[in-house]
Amino acid sequence: MFEKSTWIRLPRNVVVGHGVLERTVDVIDDLHLQGRPLFVTSPTPRRLAADPIAAQFEERGIDPAMVTVETASFDAVETVIETADAEEASYLVGIGGGKAIDIAKMASDHLDMGFLSVPTAASHDGIVSNRGSVPEGDTRHSVAAEPPLAVIADTEILAEAPWELTTAGCADIISNYTAVMDWRLAHRLKNVEYSEYSAALAEMTAEILVDNAAMIRPGLEESAWIVTKALMSSGVAMSIASSSRPASGAEHLFSHQLDRLAPDAALHGHQVGVGSIMTAYLHDGDPGVWTDIRDALASIDAPTTADELGIDADTVLEALTTCHEIRDRYTILGDGIDEQAAREVATRTGVI
Ligand SMILES: NC(=O)C1=CN([C@@H]2O[C@H](COP(=O)(O)OP(=O)(O)OC[C@H]3O[C@@H](n4cnc5c(N)ncnc54)[C@H](OP(=O)(O)O)[C@@H]3O)[C@@H](O)[C@H]2O)C=CC1
Ligand SMILES: O=C(CO)COP(=O)(O)O
Ligand SMILES: [Zn+2]
């Protein structure tokens, strides 16, 4: 008897392009959202996007409530939840980088309330996914959360965001190569649930980005377009899988461990990119995939070495040898690699 079932939750509207910020109220209409919104933003995105969007709403006679968060924390999520109750908000709008969007995402999950994602930085694929990540204790990896009802990504704003945020978003996409390799391995060895559609989409997304790498340059709106579309596609792959597996393997474990060992040293995408070079090497030591990943990262100005991440060699080795412990996710790291093996992979790939 066939008893399988699936429930895929995706954004209903994805609006990307030049000046689309001005269409935010149209998206609200299209979704038939009523009542008062609560905007969740952070200082720079507030000035660039949240205040202008608030003005649009005010012209329509709607007065949005606003919370401006400084750091990603569960206290900030709590503040949003309390404000939503106090201000009688009907839905949330996360406006900013991953910090503001994930806080809105986690709060909306708790409140059972819809939320919209308005990214001002193409820094990682969390801006569209159904996964939320807010640092708690030692935990850095994402958990299941509310997917956005809509994503409104204005390429004019995204193109002007700091270049390193965009290169981090590119590296997060390039890391899909090794995430999918790890996922297939875990499926074969541990019977981990696997989706061919999701894996193919995640891989194809990385391929399209790498094929277009030459067009990804600072300040170009077309680059913001390419990167944002790729982030959308990667987010959809995670929603299809109901897991971050298509976009997160051992290279993400490595990055999450670096976040604990060297907090705020480097951006998420840059760390997973460097991790991806090393885990691709572990999958196959011959020049090929790992050198292609390294070259693709270098071509978009993303770090390829520990030095470029601003992280010392010992920390890289500690992260590599311990990161398999942080979560129940089988990868090429298996039940852990020893220090000798870690030093070998990091040295041979030129990471240290
Ligand atoms: N859900 C997921 O799968 C994932 C979630 N994350 C989470 O995302 C967060 C990191 O995301 P990230 O986007 O790097 O962090 P932030 O949201 O902190 O943004 C990074 C920096 O860029 C600034 N900024 C944002 N947009 C612009 C812009 N257009 N122009 C100029 N400056 C801008 C912010 O300013 P300001 O400080 O003023 O806000 C901030 O200083 C973390 O909280 C992490 O846990 C990370 C990876 C995956
Ligand atoms: O960053 C992600 C995908 O790019 C989310 O992955 P994690 O579940 O490992 O946090
Ligand atoms: Zn990621």
Side-chain angles (χ1 to χ4, degrees):
M1 196 164 57
F2 185 81
E3 289 187 341
K4 228 173 147 178
S5 67
T6 186
W7 184 336
I8 298 170
R9 300 179 75 211
L10 298 166
R12 177 165 143 185
N13 285 289
V14 174
V15 187
V16 186
H18 181 85
V20 296
L21 205 65
E22 286 170 18
R23 310 213 55 190
T24 309
V25 279
D26 300 333
V27 175
I28 301 297
D29 286 347
D30 191 75
L31 291 167
H32 309 296
L33 289 172
Q34 308 281 336
R36 189 177 191 205
L38 169 59
F39 289 6
V40 181
T41 188
S42 63
T44 312
R46 176 171 184 160
R47 181 173 50 76
L48 295 172
D51 286 340
I53 301 175
Q56 289 173 36
F57 279 72
E58 279 152 16
E59 274 175 29
R60 289 274 192 101
I62 305 165
D63 170 30
M66 183 105 65
V67 172
T68 307
V69 296
E70 302 274 342
T71 47
S73 66
F74 272 89
D75 283 349
V77 177
E78 198 51 47
T79 303
V80 172
I81 292 168
E82 283 166 14
T83 311
D85 284 338
E87 302 289 340
E88 298 182 357
S90 307
Y91 59 95
L92 306 183
V93 187
I95 305 166
K99 180 171 64 184
I101 289 172
D102 272 21
I103 287 170
K105 196 186 279 183
M106 304 293 272
S108 81
D109 201 50
H110 179 93
L111 291 159
D112 227 353
M113 214 175 243
F115 100 100
L116 281 75
S117 170
V118 184
T120 60
S123 49
H124 54 72
D125 50 20
I127 60 175
V128 62
S129 74
N130 59 345
R131 312 281 309 173
S133 153
V134 173
E136 183 184 34
D138 269 348
T139 305
R140 291 292 176 278
H141 61 74
S142 69
V143 295
E146 193 69 18
L149 291 171
V151 184
I152 303 164
D154 192 319
T155 48
E156 201 177 359
I157 292 181
L158 294 167
E160 281 172 21
W163 175 232
E164 66 269 20
L165 294 176
T166 309
T167 65
C170 292
D172 202 22
I173 297 297
I174 291 170
S175 81
N176 287 2
Y177 281 123
T178 46
V180 171
M181 287 166 135
D182 281 328
W183 196 13
R184 290 204 175 107
L185 182 77
H187 176 59
R188 285 198 299 268
L189 295 186
K190 302 285 175 186
N191 203 26
V192 162
E193 201 172 331
Y194 174 74
S195 157
E196 195 67 56
Y197 287 102
S198 168
L201 179 59
E203 260 178 348
M204 183 189 72
T205 304
E207 249 160 56
I208 293 176
L209 189 99
V210 169
D211 288 348
N212 286 287
M215 287 190 304
I216 302 174
R217 300 310 322 151
L220 286 186
E221 204 167 332
E222 194 181 354
S223 308
W225 170 267
I226 295 167
V227 181
T228 307
K229 295 284 286 276
L231 296 172
M232 302 287 172
S233 176
S234 198
V236 168
M238 287 190 269
S239 292
I240 292 174
S242 281
S243 158
S244 59
R245 268 286 193 182
S248 167
E251 73 298 319
H252 271 67
L253 297 178
F254 170 71
S255 168
H256 298 321
Q257 193 69 319
L258 286 181
D259 283 341
R260 296 158 75 179
L261 298 171
D264 301 323
L267 293 168
H268 168 83
H270 291 165
Q271 294 178 170
V272 302
V274 171
S276 204
I277 299 172
M278 294 188 287
T279 62
Y281 178 90
L282 288 172
H283 277 280
D284 180 0
D286 288 339
V289 179
W290 77 265
T291 46
D292 289 351
I293 290 175
R294 181 199 58 194
D295 297 348
L297 291 169
S299 79
I300 46 117
D301 297 343
T304 58
T305 65
D307 255 6
E308 287 169 2
L309 286 177
I311 294 174
D312 61 59
D314 285 347
T315 306
V316 164
L317 296 180
E318 188 179 346
L320 262 183
T321 50
T322 58
C323 67
H324 62 284
E325 293 166 355
I326 65 178
R327 159 193 234 182
D328 180 21
R329 176 160 292 193
Y330 191 80
T331 69
I332 191 68
L333 297 173
D335 59 1
I337 62 172
D338 65 26
E339 200 189 321
Q340 175 82 13
R343 191 175 291 281
E344 170 118 355
V345 57
T347 311
R348 284 185 180 265
T349 52
V351 167
I352 63 170

